Amino acid sequence: MKIKKGKSLCFFSAKGGVGKTTNLLNLAGILEQFDKKVLIIDMDLYSGGIATYLNKKFDKSIYHLAFDLMNNKFNDINDYTVMVDDYIDILCAPKDPRDANKIEAKYIDDIIKKAELKYDAVLIDTNHSLNDINLTILDSVDQIYFMVTNDPLDLKNLKSLLTIFDSLNMNNYKVILNNSRDPFKSYFSNYEIKKIINHRLDYTISVELFLKDIEKLIMKGVIISLDRKFADIMTKDYQAFVTMATDFLEGDNKDE
Ligand SMILES: Nc1ncnc2c1ncn2[C@@H]1O[C@H](COP(=O)(O)OP(=O)(O)O)[C@@H](O)[C@H]1O
Ligand SMILES: [Mg+2]
């Protein structure tokens, strides 16, 4: 058996638009600062945004990789990846959402395993549905990061999700409270949030990371955490991401 080099994680949520993609990219930026080789896999197959967020053009996507795996034509994962910088590569979601339908869940685990052989960190972005693809991802990765906002529906749905996880004895997850998504929503205190979801808040992204002009940065393809100002000005959030990255790198491998 080949020895895996790296670790994998996915960001998941009970609701869309909570900040998964934005903050998965922030975590990738911190891992880059730790000198880690990172592959971001966009498994939000129908409406993936990683290439757009990073302003990258691409020809091949995860669809081509899955197709070649199916037809025994796969050679190297980097035949399908796009370079962002010296540390970060991306494997894009299909350009044509109809191709997403053709990706079978059984290839997902294989793709993650192949990525772990080559990269220190494999970060998987998802959408929030509990379909076969996402269930396979949740089952395959070393660590799951649930992102939740201060929103009654989001919190209620996360509680249901965590109850399922606990009943299956799946405890390789952490909860990130994202307060930067919408600074005007602060219905519940942290104490109340913990009570609602019946779980600790492992990490908190603060309201200070709310950026009014975030779309401008997105259009420029900027990873916020790679901006020098991030560490200097948003010290608390920088620290939260550093802790997240350190815990992830030092955490358990699922297969061990
Ligand atoms: N730090 C932030 N500051 C301002 N707006 C944000 C921030 N993070 C996310 N958003 C807004 O929320 C939207 C959804 O974020 P995104 O990361 O795409 O969520 P998800 O991947 O969970 O759907 C973004 O398009 C952006 O408008
Ligand atoms: Mg997203």
Side-chain angles (χ1 to χ4, degrees):
M1 203 182 103
K2 288 184 190 161
I3 305 292
K4 76 180 205 171
K5 170 180 162 81
K7 291 205 165 75
S8 58
L9 65 79
C10 74
F11 272 33
F12 196 64
S13 62
K15 188 173 169 291
V18 297
K20 290 184 298 298
T21 303
T22 308
N23 291 299
L24 182 126
L25 290 172
N26 281 334
L27 183 58
I30 299 295
L31 288 162
E32 159 163 347
Q33 289 168 6
F34 285 6
D35 275 346
K36 299 297 174 194
K37 279 288 282 180
V38 181
L39 179 68
I40 299 172
I41 308 184
D42 194 346
M43 290 202 188
D44 182 355
L45 297 179
Y46 292 90
S47 50
I50 295 287
T52 310
Y53 274 51
L54 296 174
N55 218 347
K56 288 283 163 199
K57 291 200 167 31
F58 62 97
D59 291 322
K60 292 202 172 168
S61 73
I62 188 168
Y63 163 70
H64 300 93
L65 170 40
F67 185 85
D68 286 354
L69 275 174
M70 189 164 69
N71 293 292
N72 267 326
K73 284 191 193 152
F74 171 85
N75 182 30
D76 186 325
I77 196 160
N78 293 124
D79 294 340
Y80 310 87
T81 55
V82 178
M83 189 177 144
V84 175
D85 59 27
D86 288 346
Y87 293 89
I88 302 175
D89 291 338
I90 54 179
L91 177 58
C92 300
K95 255 184 213 163
D96 182 339
R98 287 171 298 184
D99 286 341
N101 285 328
K102 300 177 198 153
I103 300 175
E104 291 178 53
K106 64 180 176 193
Y107 296 108
I108 295 294
D109 183 58
D110 201 12
I111 293 172
I112 296 171
K113 295 257 156 35
K114 286 189 162 45
E116 286 169 345
L117 291 176
K118 274 206 137 172
Y119 290 86
D120 301 312
V122 179
L123 311 190
I124 299 171
D125 197 18
T126 65
N127 59 37
H128 62 283
S129 54
L130 271 181
N131 56 22
D132 275 356
I133 297 273
N134 284 345
L135 289 172
T136 310
I137 298 169
L138 292 167
D139 210 34
S140 301
V141 291
D142 294 314
Q143 276 287 338
I144 298 161
Y145 288 80
F146 287 112
M147 183 154 284
V148 70
T149 52
N150 198 327
D151 169 287
L153 193 63
D154 192 9
L155 289 164
K156 182 191 150 287
N157 288 338
L158 181 66
K159 184 201 164 64
S160 309
L161 210 53
L162 297 187
T163 308
I164 299 172
F165 266 66
D166 293 342
S167 72
L168 296 171
N169 281 328
M170 286 179 68
N171 46 23
N172 58 327
Y173 66 82
K174 307 261 194 208
V175 176
I176 307 173
L177 173 66
N178 183 13
N179 286 328
S180 68
R181 169 68 185 86
D182 193 339
F184 309 108
K185 279 191 189 171
S186 51
Y187 302 112
F188 305 106
S189 68
N190 281 10
Y191 177 79
E192 287 168 323
I193 291 174
K194 285 186 245 179
K195 278 274 187 210
I196 296 170
I197 64 170
N198 193 25
H199 194 274
R200 67 179 179 273
L201 297 171
D202 296 285
Y203 313 100
T204 303
I205 301 172
S206 85
V207 69
E208 283 164 38
L209 198 58
F210 172 74
L211 302 166
K212 200 157 51 62
D213 292 330
I214 195 163
E215 271 80 16
K216 275 193 198 153
L217 295 173
I218 290 171
M219 283 187 285
K220 279 195 220 152
V222 168
I223 295 181
I224 301 159
S225 63
L226 282 175
D227 190 316
R228 284 219 322 277
K229 283 191 289 225
F230 184 64
D232 294 345
I233 300 174
M234 296 160 180
T235 326
K236 202 165 44 168
D237 289 309
Y238 176 75
Q239 259 318 316
F241 279 100
V242 165
T243 310
M244 221 184 284
T246 314
D247 289 351
F248 167 57
L249 293 170
E250 290 174 358
D252 292 337
N253 278 345
K254 203 167 182 199
D255 303 334
E256 282 173 359

